[in-house]
Amino acid sequence: MTQHDLLVIGAGPGGYVAAVRAAQLGLDVACVEKEQALGGTCLRIGCIPSKAMLESSERYAEARKDFAQHGIVLGDVGLDLKKMLKRKERVIKTSTSGVDYLFKKNKITRYLGHATFLDRSRVQVSGGDTDTEIEAKNIIIATGSKVATLPGVNLDGDRIASSTEALSYDEVPEHLVVIGAGYIGLEMGSVWLRLGSRVTVLEYLDRILPGMDAEMANEAHTLFKKQGMVFELGSKVTGVRVEGDHAIVERNGADPIECDRVLIAVGRKPHTDNLGLDAIGLELDELGRIPVNDHFATPIEGVYAIGDVIRGVMLAHKAEEEGVACVEHIVNGYGHVNYNAIPGIVYTHPEVASVGRTEEELQDAGIEYRKGTYPFRANGRARALAQLDGNVKILADAKTDRVLGVHIIGPRAGDLIAEAAVAIEFGASSEDIARTSHAHPTLAEAVKEAALDVDDRAINI
Ligand code: NAI
């Protein structure tokens, strides 16, 4: 048996960041991870590979459709999918080996295998290179999430599959049916649409991107439709099956759809399989999540949990903040996450980004607000980029002017939203943003103009 001050179970963005921060604070840290590569879903089969494919497919689509307007004349633009997939694998490898480097640099002991609790301070590691028992005063569970599916739908990992497989289809599907118009459905749907697939998105609700500001989601819907994505909203899928080399998707009130591949993207659920939580008497909540208090402590002394396995949005950067706050609380007695300042980004084209409260949330809460908006078509840099779609919307408290929510759809919205997150974190007013110099010509000027518009004094419109 080996002993450590802290054991982290899971080396995704939540777990590895917690481990690094704990090592910085002087703890002897170990981390158990069942996969050979560190970095979790995000680095291996999630955020990083999907962004690699989104970048590559966007370049391809631009070369085919957009370069001509810049006066760039190309011959036939071809697709070498194998090479594109290989590049994605290299991006993954560089990213996951970066975590290996961080572990070495911070002297974090890595165990390869599956962790199962024996009691509240001891864990059995098995199925890896060696079976071993680890004892630690504190243990953080950071085991992430797994794909959710529909009742009665079996993922065969081929025709009917999750985003993991959709990152690596070896040929461009002729017709891809995506079930779920959330983050994964829209990002992966965009990749294959750009590479030449016909893409049909079936969504149960009467809108896309639930949880995002409705006005922005509607605008995104219009733009994605223009790109050729076909949406069927209010669509209840009742079954998916394979027939020969096709898949058949059945839904209520409409004819079945025949397609090459089906991507199931209806959400994710906490991953606690075979963790041995019974051995420590830790019960999950009604949604299968590990219950924690504000300091990420479970009801079991010395056992903590962070990231997708607990309440809240399933986002890598939320897990990272929780990992840091959890460890700092263990070591220093303080540590805090401001959930209101956690941005959400959909990396489509254009990107959709959001931080703070939506208009619907403010209306439901009876909070009076003022709204400033600014379209990218009025922004000089956006014109130079030839990316005119979208706008910035800032919601500020009607009395205090404090920024309550910022929603952006447009070029590089995912980068622009960082300024808004800082504003919310610092309790800034819209006037603070409006009076801050924003370099010209930049896309960020659209954020400044939207802030000016809260007070009805945007200049360039
Ligand atoms: P999601 O929760 O974003 O979207 C799932 C969608 O499926 C929703 O629109 C929902 O209404 C719909 N749906 C549910 N049941 C359905 C049914 N029976 N028929 C049709 N539609 C149905 O989940 P998604 O896209 O699978 O992503 C999983 C998680 O991964 C999310 O929590 C997200 O936060 C995270 N993620 C984040 C990314 C990012 O930050 N860019 C990228 C990819 C995933």
Side-chain angles (χ1 to χ4, degrees):
M1 186 171 70
T2 50
Q3 287 182 319
H4 300 276
D5 297 333
L6 174 73
L7 174 67
V8 181
I9 305 175
Y16 91 71
V17 169
V20 169
R21 183 69 189 121
Q24 286 174 343
L25 291 168
L27 298 190
D28 168 17
V29 187
C31 181
V32 191
E33 168 57 58
K34 64 182 170 47
E35 301 291 336
Q36 192 80 43
L38 299 174
T41 299
C42 173
L43 273 66
R44 295 183 307 107
I45 48 170
C47 324
I48 298 299
S50 60
K51 262 75 273 169
M53 289 303 284
L54 279 157
E55 283 301 335
S56 296
S57 60
E58 181 57 24
R59 298 269 199 287
Y60 174 68
E62 269 179 3
R64 286 185 58 212
K65 295 187 186 143
D66 296 338
F67 278 12
Q69 65 174 315
H70 293 277
I72 302 169
V73 182
L74 297 174
D76 279 348
V77 176
L79 174 66
D80 185 342
L81 181 59
K82 237 186 187 162
K83 199 163 177 182
M84 194 179 277
L85 293 171
K86 265 203 185 134
R87 186 194 87 95
K88 176 205 66 181
E89 292 304 321
R90 281 201 307 276
V91 174
I92 297 173
K93 182 85 184 88
T94 318
S95 304
T96 59
S97 43
V99 184
D100 284 304
Y101 159 78
L102 293 175
F103 272 26
K104 281 196 194 97
K105 178 182 163 199
N106 289 284
K107 302 191 175 45
I108 295 162
T109 310
R110 190 259 156 108
Y111 294 92
L112 175 64
H114 182 97
T116 309
F117 277 95
L118 297 171
D119 61 37
R120 67 174 181 77
S121 59
R122 283 185 313 130
V123 155
Q124 177 70 40
V125 179
S126 52
D129 36 11
T130 49
D131 285 6
T132 184
E133 204 179 299
I134 306 168
E135 185 171 53
K137 191 169 162 223
N138 292 300
I139 299 177
I140 299 177
I141 303 169
T143 45
S145 59
K146 58 184 181 181
V147 173
T149 184
L150 299 171
V153 174
N154 286 330
L155 302 189
D156 68 357
D158 182 22
R159 299 267 159 219
I160 309 169
S162 71
S163 54
T164 306
E165 293 77 16
L167 284 165
S168 298
Y169 293 150
D170 55 5
E171 55 185 45
V172 179
E174 202 184 300
H175 186 189
L176 170 67
V177 169
V178 176
I179 304 179
Y183 285 76
I184 293 179
L186 294 174
E187 290 185 6
M188 294 315 299
S190 295
V191 166
W192 293 104
L193 181 77
R194 293 166 192 168
L195 296 182
S197 296
R198 183 151 65 91
V199 175
T200 305
V201 181
L202 306 180
E203 166 59 49
Y204 181 72
L205 301 175
D206 59 2
R207 57 165 288 179
I208 68 167
L209 292 172
M212 285 243 174
D213 188 274
E215 194 181 5
M216 301 315 243
N218 281 341
E219 180 151 1
H221 185 198
T222 306
L223 292 173
F224 300 151
K225 273 197 294 192
K226 243 202 275 171
Q227 291 168 11
M229 216 178 256
V230 174
F231 288 89
E232 291 191 18
L233 303 183
S235 197
K236 187 168 188 313
V237 173
T238 53
V240 185
R241 62 176 199 281
V242 177
E243 243 180 51
D245 59 356
H246 279 84
I248 311 285
V249 182
E250 316 248 15
R251 68 253 205 258
N252 268 355
D255 291 339
I257 309 178
E258 189 178 304
C259 60
D260 306 72
R261 292 193 185 267
V262 181
L263 163 60
I264 309 281
V266 293
R268 297 180 63 84
K269 53 187 182 189
H271 185 15
T272 53
D273 300 353
N274 305 321
L275 254 182
L277 298 182
D278 288 350
I280 55 172
L282 181 51
E283 284 178 23
L284 303 177
D285 72 10
E286 67 290 353
L287 295 175
R289 304 172 300 193
I290 295 179
V292 291
N293 67 12
D294 287 348
H295 305 303
F296 310 101
T298 71
I300 312 303
E301 201 194 332
V303 179
Y304 299 79
I306 57 165
D308 287 8
V309 86
I310 67 167
R311 78 285 186 272
V313 291
M314 290 184 173
L315 295 173
H317 46 283
K318 173 253 193 192
E320 291 174 13
E321 295 304 326
E322 290 178 341
V324 169
C326 176
V327 163
E328 290 185 347
H329 193 267
I330 291 171
V331 177
N332 298 328
Y334 53 82
H336 175 71
V337 177
N338 179 1
Y339 288 102
N340 200 38
I342 304 273
I345 299 157
V346 192
Y347 295 86
T348 43
H349 186 82
E351 294 176 347
V352 189
S354 171
V355 65
R357 324 262 307 253
T358 63
E359 273 202 81
E360 299 75 62
E361 284 169 347
L362 294 176
Q363 286 158 7
D364 288 349
I367 297 171
E368 282 182 39
Y369 60 92
R370 290 192 304 158
K371 172 170 159 179
T373 57
Y374 192 77
F376 281 101
R377 69 181 150 66
N379 173 274
R381 187 66 185 278
R383 278 198 296 269
L385 284 167
Q387 296 194 14
L388 303 177
D389 289 330
N391 58 76
V392 179
K393 169 159 106 176
I394 296 186
L395 306 171
D397 188 284
K399 288 193 196 80
T400 64
D401 192 37
R402 187 179 180 136
V403 177
L404 301 175
V406 178
H407 308 280
I408 307 176
I409 176 164
R412 296 287 164 193
D415 295 312
L416 296 175
I417 203 73
E419 169 182 7
V422 171
I424 289 182
E425 185 69 44
F426 279 36
S429 62
S430 78
E431 182 161 5
D432 288 328
I433 299 178
R435 291 201 180 274
T436 302
S437 170
H438 287 63
H440 178 74
T442 58
L443 296 168
E445 286 173 290
V447 178
K448 178 185 168 103
E449 292 276 7
L452 283 164
D453 188 53
V454 171
D455 203 25
D456 222 4
R457 57 195 171 103
I459 305 282
N460 291 287
I461 188 114

mmCIF file of all heavy atoms in Angstrom, residues 50-51 150 179-185 187 202-205 207-210 235-237 264-268 313-315 317 345-347, ligand 1:
data_model
loop_
_atom_site.group_PDB
_atom_site.id
_atom_site.type_symbol
_atom_site.label_atom_id
_atom_site.label_comp_id
_atom_site.label_asym_id
_atom_site.label_seq_id
_atom_site.Cartn_x
_atom_site.Cartn_y
_atom_site.Cartn_z
ATOM 1 N N SER A 50 -12.743 17.785 -31.065
ATOM 2 C CA SER A 50 -13.847 18.398 -31.831
ATOM 3 C C SER A 50 -13.420 19.759 -32.354
ATOM 4 O O SER A 50 -13.772 20.136 -33.470
ATOM 5 C CB SER A 50 -15.130 18.489 -31.001
ATOM 6 O OG SER A 50 -14.939 19.273 -29.852
ATOM 7 N N LYS A 51 -12.622 20.492 -31.562
ATOM 8 C CA LYS A 51 -12.154 21.786 -32.071
ATOM 9 C C LYS A 51 -11.189 21.597 -33.238
ATOM 10 O O LYS A 51 -11.191 22.379 -34.191
ATOM 11 C CB LYS A 51 -11.484 22.609 -30.963
ATOM 12 C CG LYS A 51 -12.380 23.639 -30.336
ATOM 13 C CD LYS A 51 -13.427 23.128 -29.393
ATOM 14 C CE LYS A 51 -14.728 22.695 -29.884
ATOM 15 N NZ LYS A 51 -15.556 22.001 -28.901
ATOM 16 N N LEU A 150 -31.051 7.354 -25.599
ATOM 17 C CA LEU A 150 -32.510 7.387 -25.514
ATOM 18 C C LEU A 150 -32.985 6.013 -25.069
ATOM 19 O O LEU A 150 -32.352 5.005 -25.395
ATOM 20 C CB LEU A 150 -33.085 7.705 -26.894
ATOM 21 C CG LEU A 150 -32.690 9.047 -27.486
ATOM 22 C CD1 LEU A 150 -33.146 9.142 -28.935
ATOM 23 C CD2 LEU A 150 -33.330 10.154 -26.667
ATOM 24 N N ILE A 179 -29.401 13.503 -33.335
ATOM 25 C CA ILE A 179 -30.518 13.618 -32.387
ATOM 26 C C ILE A 179 -30.049 14.489 -31.230
ATOM 27 O O ILE A 179 -29.137 14.120 -30.486
ATOM 28 C CB ILE A 179 -30.985 12.230 -31.903
ATOM 29 C CG1 ILE A 179 -31.354 11.372 -33.120
ATOM 30 C CG2 ILE A 179 -32.181 12.380 -30.950
ATOM 31 C CD1 ILE A 179 -31.817 9.977 -32.791
ATOM 32 N N GLY A 180 -30.649 15.662 -31.092
ATOM 33 C CA GLY A 180 -30.271 16.620 -30.051
ATOM 34 C C GLY A 180 -29.587 17.843 -30.637
ATOM 35 O O GLY A 180 -28.535 17.736 -31.269
ATOM 36 N N ALA A 181 -30.227 19.029 -30.454
ATOM 37 C CA ALA A 181 -29.639 20.278 -30.976
ATOM 38 C C ALA A 181 -28.965 21.051 -29.858
ATOM 39 O O ALA A 181 -29.239 22.230 -29.630
ATOM 40 C CB ALA A 181 -30.719 21.119 -31.656
ATOM 41 N N GLY A 182 -28.094 20.368 -29.110
ATOM 42 C CA GLY A 182 -27.303 21.015 -28.060
ATOM 43 C C GLY A 182 -25.888 21.245 -28.569
ATOM 44 O O GLY A 182 -25.639 21.299 -29.781
ATOM 45 N N TYR A 183 -24.956 21.377 -27.625
ATOM 46 C CA TYR A 183 -23.561 21.656 -27.958
ATOM 47 C C TYR A 183 -23.004 20.632 -28.955
ATOM 48 O O TYR A 183 -22.474 20.993 -30.002
ATOM 49 C CB TYR A 183 -22.690 21.566 -26.706
ATOM 50 C CG TYR A 183 -22.783 22.694 -25.729
ATOM 51 C CD1 TYR A 183 -23.859 22.830 -24.867
ATOM 52 C CD2 TYR A 183 -21.753 23.624 -25.625
ATOM 53 C CE1 TYR A 183 -23.911 23.851 -23.937
ATOM 54 C CE2 TYR A 183 -21.793 24.648 -24.706
ATOM 55 C CZ TYR A 183 -22.874 24.773 -23.857
ATOM 56 O OH TYR A 183 -22.916 25.780 -22.947
ATOM 57 N N ILE A 184 -23.109 19.352 -28.601
ATOM 58 C CA ILE A 184 -22.456 18.323 -29.413
ATOM 59 C C ILE A 184 -23.126 18.191 -30.771
ATOM 60 O O ILE A 184 -22.462 18.148 -31.812
ATOM 61 C CB ILE A 184 -22.458 16.957 -28.679
ATOM 62 C CG1 ILE A 184 -21.560 17.045 -27.439
ATOM 63 C CG2 ILE A 184 -22.011 15.830 -29.605
ATOM 64 C CD1 ILE A 184 -21.483 15.774 -26.610
ATOM 65 N N GLY A 185 -24.463 18.154 -30.761
ATOM 66 C CA GLY A 185 -25.202 17.980 -32.016
ATOM 67 C C GLY A 185 -24.852 19.063 -33.019
ATOM 68 O O GLY A 185 -24.601 18.785 -34.197
ATOM 69 N N GLU A 187 -22.173 21.195 -32.980
ATOM 70 C CA GLU A 187 -20.752 21.230 -33.369
ATOM 71 C C GLU A 187 -20.428 20.095 -34.341
ATOM 72 O O GLU A 187 -19.851 20.326 -35.417
ATOM 73 C CB GLU A 187 -19.848 21.156 -32.131
ATOM 74 C CG GLU A 187 -19.909 22.426 -31.283
ATOM 75 C CD GLU A 187 -18.930 22.433 -30.112
ATOM 76 O OE1 GLU A 187 -18.108 21.503 -29.998
ATOM 77 O OE2 GLU A 187 -19.001 23.377 -29.300
ATOM 78 N N LEU A 202 -32.673 16.413 -35.305
ATOM 79 C CA LEU A 202 -33.970 16.208 -34.672
ATOM 80 C C LEU A 202 -33.868 16.671 -33.218
ATOM 81 O O LEU A 202 -33.000 16.212 -32.479
ATOM 82 C CB LEU A 202 -34.352 14.724 -34.702
ATOM 83 C CG LEU A 202 -34.339 14.048 -36.075
ATOM 84 C CD1 LEU A 202 -34.740 12.579 -35.943
ATOM 85 C CD2 LEU A 202 -35.275 14.764 -37.028
ATOM 86 N N GLU A 203 -34.730 17.591 -32.843
ATOM 87 C CA GLU A 203 -34.676 18.136 -31.481
ATOM 88 C C GLU A 203 -36.050 18.006 -30.836
ATOM 89 O O GLU A 203 -37.062 18.351 -31.448
ATOM 90 C CB GLU A 203 -34.210 19.604 -31.518
ATOM 91 C CG GLU A 203 -34.412 20.397 -30.245
ATOM 92 C CD GLU A 203 -33.701 19.833 -29.012
ATOM 93 O OE1 GLU A 203 -32.501 19.521 -29.097
ATOM 94 O OE2 GLU A 203 -34.362 19.707 -27.970
ATOM 95 N N TYR A 204 -36.042 17.517 -29.625
ATOM 96 C CA TYR A 204 -37.287 17.270 -28.902
ATOM 97 C C TYR A 204 -38.028 18.573 -28.581
ATOM 98 O O TYR A 204 -39.246 18.650 -28.695
ATOM 99 C CB TYR A 204 -36.923 16.513 -27.614
ATOM 100 C CG TYR A 204 -38.088 16.160 -26.760
ATOM 101 C CD1 TYR A 204 -38.975 15.158 -27.155
ATOM 102 C CD2 TYR A 204 -38.310 16.800 -25.550
ATOM 103 C CE1 TYR A 204 -40.061 14.825 -26.373
ATOM 104 C CE2 TYR A 204 -39.390 16.471 -24.765
ATOM 105 C CZ TYR A 204 -40.270 15.477 -25.183
ATOM 106 O OH TYR A 204 -41.340 15.160 -24.411
ATOM 107 N N LEU A 205 -37.274 19.587 -28.196
ATOM 108 C CA LEU A 205 -37.890 20.859 -27.815
ATOM 109 C C LEU A 205 -38.266 21.674 -29.059
ATOM 110 O O LEU A 205 -37.905 21.310 -30.177
ATOM 111 C CB LEU A 205 -36.923 21.673 -26.940
ATOM 112 C CG LEU A 205 -36.480 20.984 -25.645
ATOM 113 C CD1 LEU A 205 -35.437 21.828 -24.929
ATOM 114 C CD2 LEU A 205 -37.680 20.746 -24.730
ATOM 115 N N ARG A 207 -37.071 24.538 -29.774
ATOM 116 C CA ARG A 207 -35.978 25.487 -30.011
ATOM 117 C C ARG A 207 -34.659 24.721 -29.955
ATOM 118 O O ARG A 207 -34.618 23.594 -29.462
ATOM 119 C CB ARG A 207 -35.966 26.583 -28.942
ATOM 120 C CG ARG A 207 -35.857 26.020 -27.525
ATOM 121 C CD ARG A 207 -35.487 27.054 -26.497
ATOM 122 N NE ARG A 207 -34.090 27.446 -26.635
ATOM 123 C CZ ARG A 207 -33.507 28.368 -25.864
ATOM 124 N NH1 ARG A 207 -34.201 28.977 -24.931
ATOM 125 N NH2 ARG A 207 -32.242 28.676 -26.039
ATOM 126 N N ILE A 208 -33.576 25.355 -30.416
ATOM 127 C CA ILE A 208 -32.265 24.728 -30.283
ATOM 128 C C ILE A 208 -31.556 25.346 -29.071
ATOM 129 O O ILE A 208 -32.030 26.334 -28.491
ATOM 130 C CB ILE A 208 -31.407 24.875 -31.565
ATOM 131 C CG1 ILE A 208 -30.987 26.332 -31.795
ATOM 132 C CG2 ILE A 208 -32.163 24.351 -32.772
ATOM 133 C CD1 ILE A 208 -29.887 26.491 -32.854
ATOM 134 N N LEU A 209 -30.463 24.763 -28.675
ATOM 135 C CA LEU A 209 -29.611 25.266 -27.589
ATOM 136 C C LEU A 209 -30.385 25.658 -26.326
ATOM 137 O O LEU A 209 -30.346 26.822 -25.908
ATOM 138 C CB LEU A 209 -28.783 26.464 -28.080
ATOM 139 C CG LEU A 209 -27.713 26.138 -29.109
ATOM 140 C CD1 LEU A 209 -27.099 27.418 -29.667
ATOM 141 C CD2 LEU A 209 -26.617 25.260 -28.491
ATOM 142 N N PRO A 210 -31.076 24.709 -25.728
ATOM 143 C CA PRO A 210 -31.811 25.037 -24.506
ATOM 144 C C PRO A 210 -30.835 25.545 -23.439
ATOM 145 O O PRO A 210 -29.708 25.069 -23.357
ATOM 146 C CB PRO A 210 -32.439 23.704 -24.074
ATOM 147 C CG PRO A 210 -31.729 22.643 -24.847
ATOM 148 C CD PRO A 210 -31.189 23.277 -26.076
ATOM 149 N N SER A 235 -39.455 17.206 -32.215
ATOM 150 C CA SER A 235 -39.403 15.878 -32.823
ATOM 151 C C SER A 235 -39.083 14.829 -31.760
ATOM 152 O O SER A 235 -38.006 14.842 -31.177
ATOM 153 C CB SER A 235 -38.307 15.921 -33.885
ATOM 154 O OG SER A 235 -38.410 14.878 -34.752
ATOM 155 N N LYS A 236 -40.023 13.941 -31.523
ATOM 156 C CA LYS A 236 -39.794 12.923 -30.492
ATOM 157 C C LYS A 236 -39.370 11.619 -31.154
ATOM 158 O O LYS A 236 -40.159 10.973 -31.854
ATOM 159 C CB LYS A 236 -41.075 12.714 -29.678
ATOM 160 C CG LYS A 236 -40.896 11.797 -28.487
ATOM 161 C CD LYS A 236 -42.111 11.864 -27.581
ATOM 162 C CE LYS A 236 -41.998 11.149 -26.285
ATOM 163 N NZ LYS A 236 -41.534 9.875 -26.130
ATOM 164 N N VAL A 237 -38.121 11.253 -30.952
ATOM 165 C CA VAL A 237 -37.594 10.026 -31.544
ATOM 166 C C VAL A 237 -38.101 8.836 -30.725
ATOM 167 O O VAL A 237 -37.995 8.820 -29.502
ATOM 168 C CB VAL A 237 -36.047 10.068 -31.558
ATOM 169 C CG1 VAL A 237 -35.475 8.727 -32.010
ATOM 170 C CG2 VAL A 237 -35.560 11.186 -32.471
ATOM 171 N N ILE A 264 -26.103 10.294 -31.646
ATOM 172 C CA ILE A 264 -26.946 10.539 -30.471
ATOM 173 C C ILE A 264 -26.246 11.603 -29.619
ATOM 174 O O ILE A 264 -25.140 11.381 -29.122
ATOM 175 C CB ILE A 264 -27.126 9.243 -29.631
ATOM 176 C CG1 ILE A 264 -27.590 8.073 -30.510
ATOM 177 C CG2 ILE A 264 -28.056 9.491 -28.438
ATOM 178 C CD1 ILE A 264 -29.038 8.036 -30.869
ATOM 179 N N ALA A 265 -26.891 12.746 -29.483
ATOM 180 C CA ALA A 265 -26.281 13.860 -28.721
ATOM 181 C C ALA A 265 -27.348 14.482 -27.827
ATOM 182 O O ALA A 265 -27.692 15.647 -27.958
ATOM 183 C CB ALA A 265 -25.697 14.899 -29.677
ATOM 184 N N VAL A 266 -27.880 13.630 -26.926
ATOM 185 C CA VAL A 266 -28.986 14.093 -26.076
ATOM 186 C C VAL A 266 -28.528 14.341 -24.637
ATOM 187 O O VAL A 266 -29.341 14.346 -23.717
ATOM 188 C CB VAL A 266 -30.156 13.081 -26.088
ATOM 189 C CG1 VAL A 266 -30.791 13.022 -27.468
ATOM 190 C CG2 VAL A 266 -29.710 11.693 -25.638
ATOM 191 N N GLY A 267 -27.257 14.566 -24.461
ATOM 192 C CA GLY A 267 -26.757 14.914 -23.136
ATOM 193 C C GLY A 267 -25.789 13.876 -22.592
ATOM 194 O O GLY A 267 -25.487 12.876 -23.257
ATOM 195 N N ARG A 268 -25.276 14.153 -21.401
ATOM 196 C CA ARG A 268 -24.347 13.242 -20.749
ATOM 197 C C ARG A 268 -24.813 13.019 -19.315
ATOM 198 O O ARG A 268 -25.581 13.806 -18.773
ATOM 199 C CB ARG A 268 -22.919 13.821 -20.775
ATOM 200 C CG ARG A 268 -22.374 13.989 -22.192
ATOM 201 C CD ARG A 268 -20.969 14.558 -22.194
ATOM 202 N NE ARG A 268 -19.998 13.690 -21.549
ATOM 203 C CZ ARG A 268 -19.370 12.669 -22.139
ATOM 204 N NH1 ARG A 268 -19.608 12.391 -23.399
ATOM 205 N NH2 ARG A 268 -18.489 11.937 -21.475
ATOM 206 N N VAL A 313 -23.396 22.782 -14.739
ATOM 207 C CA VAL A 313 -23.146 22.521 -16.157
ATOM 208 C C VAL A 313 -21.945 21.593 -16.332
ATOM 209 O O VAL A 313 -21.035 21.586 -15.513
ATOM 210 C CB VAL A 313 -22.875 23.841 -16.930
ATOM 211 C CG1 VAL A 313 -24.125 24.673 -17.023
ATOM 212 C CG2 VAL A 313 -21.735 24.644 -16.303
ATOM 213 N N MET A 314 -21.994 20.803 -17.398
ATOM 214 C CA MET A 314 -20.891 19.872 -17.656
ATOM 215 C C MET A 314 -19.908 20.538 -18.611
ATOM 216 O O MET A 314 -19.961 20.331 -19.826
ATOM 217 C CB MET A 314 -21.439 18.580 -18.245
ATOM 218 C CG MET A 314 -22.226 17.768 -17.240
ATOM 219 S SD MET A 314 -22.750 16.208 -17.938
ATOM 220 C CE MET A 314 -23.436 15.391 -16.504
ATOM 221 N N LEU A 315 -19.050 21.378 -18.066
ATOM 222 C CA LEU A 315 -18.073 22.091 -18.884
ATOM 223 C C LEU A 315 -16.691 21.934 -18.263
ATOM 224 O O LEU A 315 -16.546 21.986 -17.031
ATOM 225 C CB LEU A 315 -18.433 23.573 -18.982
ATOM 226 C CG LEU A 315 -19.739 23.902 -19.720
ATOM 227 C CD1 LEU A 315 -20.064 25.382 -19.599
ATOM 228 C CD2 LEU A 315 -19.672 23.476 -21.178
ATOM 229 N N HIS A 317 -14.117 23.913 -18.110
ATOM 230 C CA HIS A 317 -13.582 25.033 -17.320
ATOM 231 C C HIS A 317 -14.312 25.199 -15.999
ATOM 232 O O HIS A 317 -13.747 25.715 -15.044
ATOM 233 C CB HIS A 317 -13.577 26.329 -18.139
ATOM 234 C CG HIS A 317 -14.829 26.602 -18.883
ATOM 235 N ND1 HIS A 317 -15.160 25.957 -20.037
ATOM 236 C CD2 HIS A 317 -15.864 27.443 -18.634
ATOM 237 C CE1 HIS A 317 -16.337 26.389 -20.486
ATOM 238 N NE2 HIS A 317 -16.784 27.290 -19.640
ATOM 239 N N ILE A 345 -19.811 28.174 -24.471
ATOM 240 C CA ILE A 345 -19.516 28.503 -25.871
ATOM 241 C C ILE A 345 -19.858 27.318 -26.773
ATOM 242 O O ILE A 345 -19.489 26.178 -26.471
ATOM 243 C CB ILE A 345 -18.011 28.842 -26.049
ATOM 244 C CG1 ILE A 345 -17.646 30.050 -25.193
ATOM 245 C CG2 ILE A 345 -17.688 29.114 -27.520
ATOM 246 C CD1 ILE A 345 -16.185 30.141 -24.855
ATOM 247 N N VAL A 346 -20.519 27.600 -27.863
ATOM 248 C CA VAL A 346 -20.752 26.582 -28.884
ATOM 249 C C VAL A 346 -19.868 26.975 -30.066
ATOM 250 O O VAL A 346 -20.025 28.060 -30.630
ATOM 251 C CB VAL A 346 -22.236 26.543 -29.320
ATOM 252 C CG1 VAL A 346 -22.500 25.296 -30.149
ATOM 253 C CG2 VAL A 346 -23.153 26.574 -28.104
ATOM 254 N N TYR A 347 -18.957 26.073 -30.435
ATOM 255 C CA TYR A 347 -17.916 26.440 -31.410
ATOM 256 C C TYR A 347 -18.344 26.171 -32.846
ATOM 257 O O TYR A 347 -17.616 25.565 -33.630
ATOM 258 C CB TYR A 347 -16.613 25.696 -31.085
ATOM 259 C CG TYR A 347 -16.036 26.115 -29.753
ATOM 260 C CD1 TYR A 347 -16.466 25.501 -28.581
ATOM 261 C CD2 TYR A 347 -15.104 27.136 -29.653
ATOM 262 C CE1 TYR A 347 -15.972 25.891 -27.355
ATOM 263 C CE2 TYR A 347 -14.604 27.532 -28.432
ATOM 264 C CZ TYR A 347 -15.039 26.907 -27.291
ATOM 265 O OH TYR A 347 -14.556 27.300 -26.072
HETATM 266 P P1 NAI B 1 -26.890 19.144 -24.457
HETATM 267 O O1 NAI B 1 -27.552 19.035 -23.151
HETATM 268 O O2 NAI B 1 -26.101 20.336 -24.835
HETATM 269 O O3 NAI B 1 -27.992 18.995 -25.618
HETATM 270 C C1 NAI B 1 -28.818 17.859 -25.711
HETATM 271 C C2 NAI B 1 -29.986 18.214 -26.605
HETATM 272 O O4 NAI B 1 -30.713 17.030 -26.858
HETATM 273 C C3 NAI B 1 -30.939 19.207 -25.977
HETATM 274 O O5 NAI B 1 -31.238 20.198 -26.917
HETATM 275 C C4 NAI B 1 -32.140 18.344 -25.652
HETATM 276 O O6 NAI B 1 -33.354 19.056 -25.662
HETATM 277 C C5 NAI B 1 -32.086 17.320 -26.765
HETATM 278 N N1 NAI B 1 -32.786 16.074 -26.482
HETATM 279 C C6 NAI B 1 -32.840 15.413 -25.314
HETATM 280 N N2 NAI B 1 -33.597 14.295 -25.469
HETATM 281 C C7 NAI B 1 -33.979 14.269 -26.768
HETATM 282 C C8 NAI B 1 -34.768 13.361 -27.545
HETATM 283 N N3 NAI B 1 -35.281 12.271 -27.009
HETATM 284 N N4 NAI B 1 -34.967 13.617 -28.855
HETATM 285 C C9 NAI B 1 -34.433 14.746 -29.411
HETATM 286 N N5 NAI B 1 -33.698 15.629 -28.719
HETATM 287 C C10 NAI B 1 -33.470 15.394 -27.414
HETATM 288 O O7 NAI B 1 -26.035 17.792 -24.588
HETATM 289 P P2 NAI B 1 -24.904 17.361 -25.606
HETATM 290 O O8 NAI B 1 -24.912 18.200 -26.824
HETATM 291 O O9 NAI B 1 -25.034 15.888 -25.758
HETATM 292 O O10 NAI B 1 -23.578 17.677 -24.807
HETATM 293 C C11 NAI B 1 -23.329 16.988 -23.570
HETATM 294 C C12 NAI B 1 -22.560 17.856 -22.622
HETATM 295 O O11 NAI B 1 -21.274 18.080 -23.105
HETATM 296 C C13 NAI B 1 -23.238 19.181 -22.423
HETATM 297 O O12 NAI B 1 -23.600 19.283 -21.074
HETATM 298 C C14 NAI B 1 -22.221 20.205 -22.777
HETATM 299 O O13 NAI B 1 -22.103 21.118 -21.719
HETATM 300 C C15 NAI B 1 -20.913 19.436 -22.959
HETATM 301 N N6 NAI B 1 -20.256 19.900 -24.170
HETATM 302 C C16 NAI B 1 -19.735 21.145 -24.211
HETATM 303 C C17 NAI B 1 -19.148 21.616 -25.357
HETATM 304 C C18 NAI B 1 -18.608 22.988 -25.370
HETATM 305 O O14 NAI B 1 -18.336 23.553 -24.315
HETATM 306 N N7 NAI B 1 -18.437 23.601 -26.541
HETATM 307 C C19 NAI B 1 -19.064 20.802 -26.579
HETATM 308 C C20 NAI B 1 -19.650 19.537 -26.422
HETATM 309 C C21 NAI B 1 -20.219 19.107 -25.263
#
